[in-house]
Amino acid sequence: MSCTRLGLSLLLLAALGWTEDEHGSEHASHPKKKGPDHGHWSYADKAQWQLEYPYCGGQMQSPINIDTNSTIFSPELQPVVLAGCNLDPSEQLSLMNNGHTVVLQLPGSLTIASGYPQEHRAMQLHLHWGSPAGPGSEHTVDGRRYDGEIHMVYYNPSYESIKEAMRQPGGLAVLAAFLQVGPEDNVHYQPLLEQLDEIQEEGKETAVAGFNIEGLLPTNLGRYYRYSGSLTTPPCYQTVNWTVFNQTVLLSKEQISLLETTLQGDDDKDLQNNFRLTQSLHGRKVLASFQAALSPRRVPLPGAGCPPCGDSENQLGLSLQTADVLAGLFGVLFAVTALAFLIYIHKQRSQNTRPDSHPKPNVIYTAATTDENAV
Ligand SMILES: [Zn+2]
């Protein structure tokens, strides 16, 4: 496990002088209880966000659809390594329903130690989901929307404050992973999901004992997409260096259902479909830390409709690659064997035609068999 435990001391957001942005954002702020200054945007009017929040109409917006055929392999992109994420159970973390999502506050001692040009410190994580009627990830891959998506938000501490970082290019880093229905409960998500019924109403808050935060992410943090984008909620600051992991996180059907049906948002309605539609790239490039050529998407298989996400697809990609290598290897072995056999036949014929040679019919077979039996 790449995660190593750092100091126990918490670097609380408050200690950094952080105060909530006037508009609030589950991506970059510590949400407060609903009040006069509560951000009044909603997912129902997301087409109107840019009227009040101009950045939402910008040209570096998130989320995006990741067209895997257009991604660019970048060998400089090193695996993401987290540090300090195995939080002690004595640490109490705030878990809140802010009306737009469920937010877990994270200590700044949790960092991204590698995978970005500089270290980033954690702020919070939150989730996006759909409804029983359909999936709700924010990013899509080759047009496919997944059941849900986790966003782990970090800031660049080289800026004077989190508030400053979230407004500056490269000030924020978000680790994103797709949530997908799998065969069994994901125990890493239980600390969050089992508390949801305590924060059903907007503004409700509870405490969660520290646990291993890295367990919420995929096991493979080496294969991911990277691009420059924005917060996916108002004020849509275009300051996020995104990481979207290729491997998905599997939750049981019951766990996904719990997420989709427990919380309430504005007007006491079910908090569902809290995802923004994908935004235009406007010429932006999406980098990949891995060679997309190894992905199964380039090898159409009967009935294979999945983009290159999830364990099964990854394994399929590796097995296809292995099959190619083995086929080549056997081809070479066959050619060498055939060549050796031809040379041997040629030698035998040469010997047999030499005037002083003694014919030894079947000698090689007889002798070899005898030797083998004698051993
Ligand atoms: Zn988000």
Side-chain angles (χ1 to χ4, degrees):
M1 183 60 72
S2 57
C3 173
T4 55
R5 179 133 176 81
L6 294 181
L8 287 173
S9 61
L10 299 181
L11 188 60
L12 296 174
L13 303 183
L16 290 168
W18 166 245
T19 55
E20 187 186 18
D21 181 86
E22 58 180 335
H23 301 303
S25 166
E26 66 260 26
H27 280 97
S29 66
H30 184 164
K32 293 178 178 175
K33 289 182 171 56
K34 193 173 183 179
D37 297 328
H38 175 80
H40 53 274
W41 60 269
S42 79
Y43 282 100
D45 67 356
K46 47 185 175 288
Q48 312 299 319
W49 287 357
Q50 60 182 297
L51 299 179
E52 190 167 353
Y53 310 99
Y55 286 114
C56 298
Q59 304 216 325
M60 291 179 60
Q61 288 291 290
S62 295
I64 59 166
N65 173 56
I66 297 170
D67 176 14
T68 55
N69 279 317
S70 303
T71 59
I72 300 169
F73 170 54
S74 176
E76 292 78 28
L77 293 177
Q78 296 300 305
V80 170
V81 177
L82 302 182
C85 52
N86 194 9
L87 303 178
D88 194 275
S90 64
E91 294 185 29
Q92 296 293 301
L93 309 175
S94 161
L95 185 73
M96 184 186 218
N97 172 357
N98 70 358
H100 303 303
T101 184
V102 54
V103 185
L104 181 72
Q105 296 300 314
L106 298 174
S109 56
L110 200 171
T111 65
I112 302 176
S114 181
Y116 280 89
Q118 65 286 314
E119 182 186 88
H120 285 73
R121 292 179 183 167
M123 297 167 61
Q124 47 100 324
L125 66 82
H126 60 270
L127 308 174
H128 298 267
W129 59 87
S131 74
S137 70
E138 293 218 289
H139 290 87
T140 58
V141 179
D142 293 335
R144 177 180 176 178
R145 189 177 304 285
Y146 289 83
D147 294 307
E149 188 168 329
I150 180 172
H151 288 165
M152 208 172 277
V153 187
Y154 295 75
Y155 71 98
N156 183 345
S158 62
Y159 291 105
E160 286 187 2
S161 67
I162 295 178
K163 189 169 186 175
E164 180 70 11
M166 66 184 291
R167 294 170 182 267
Q168 300 298 327
L172 298 175
V174 179
L175 305 181
F178 297 113
L179 310 181
Q180 194 173 15
V181 171
E184 56 192 24
D185 281 348
N186 185 326
V187 295
H188 302 289
Y189 275 75
Q190 279 308 104
L192 301 182
L193 297 176
E194 66 190 12
Q195 303 262 36
L196 290 185
D197 60 352
E198 294 183 25
I199 55 170
Q200 288 186 21
E201 294 86 30
E202 179 183 8
K204 282 283 186 87
E205 185 176 5
T206 188
V208 174
F211 61 102
N212 188 356
I213 303 297
E214 191 172 23
L216 301 172
L217 294 176
T219 53
N220 187 340
L221 301 184
R223 292 164 67 95
Y224 59 83
Y225 300 102
R226 170 70 51 80
Y227 79 99
S228 295
S230 74
L231 307 177
T232 65
T233 58
C236 305
Y237 292 141
Q238 300 183 137
T239 57
V240 180
N241 211 353
W242 280 91
T243 293
V244 181
F245 292 110
N246 180 64
Q247 190 182 33
T248 60
V249 178
L250 301 182
L251 277 67
S252 68
K253 178 70 178 167
E254 291 71 26
Q255 287 180 310
I256 293 286
S257 296
L258 203 62
L259 194 57
E260 293 171 341
T261 58
T262 305
L263 301 183
Q264 296 170 352
D266 293 337
D267 304 325
D268 297 332
K269 292 177 182 173
D270 287 340
L271 178 45
Q272 295 177 333
N273 298 317
N274 56 350
F275 63 91
R276 188 188 193 192
L277 298 179
T278 55
Q279 307 292 301
S280 298
L281 277 174
H282 294 291
R284 283 176 290 171
K285 302 298 183 191
V286 179
L287 305 180
S289 69
F290 57 101
Q291 300 223 44
L294 300 181
S295 166
R297 67 184 164 71
R298 295 182 188 276
V299 186
L301 296 173
C306 296
C309 284
D311 285 336
S312 57
E313 285 97 346
N314 286 343
Q315 288 163 3
L316 180 58
L318 287 175
S319 64
L320 287 172
Q321 184 193 14
T322 305
D324 289 344
V325 171
L326 286 175
L329 194 59
F330 280 120
V332 171
L333 281 173
F334 178 78
V336 169
T337 305
L339 187 61
F341 182 72
L342 288 173
I343 291 173
Y344 171 77
I345 293 296
H346 178 73
K347 279 188 174 179
Q348 288 296 309
R349 284 182 176 171
S350 298
Q351 284 183 346
N352 291 343
T353 53
R354 279 203 295 270
D356 58 344
S357 68
H358 303 285
K360 296 178 181 175
N362 301 326
V363 64
I364 187 170
Y365 305 110
T366 305
T369 302
T370 303
D371 287 347
E372 280 175 10
N373 289 341
V375 172

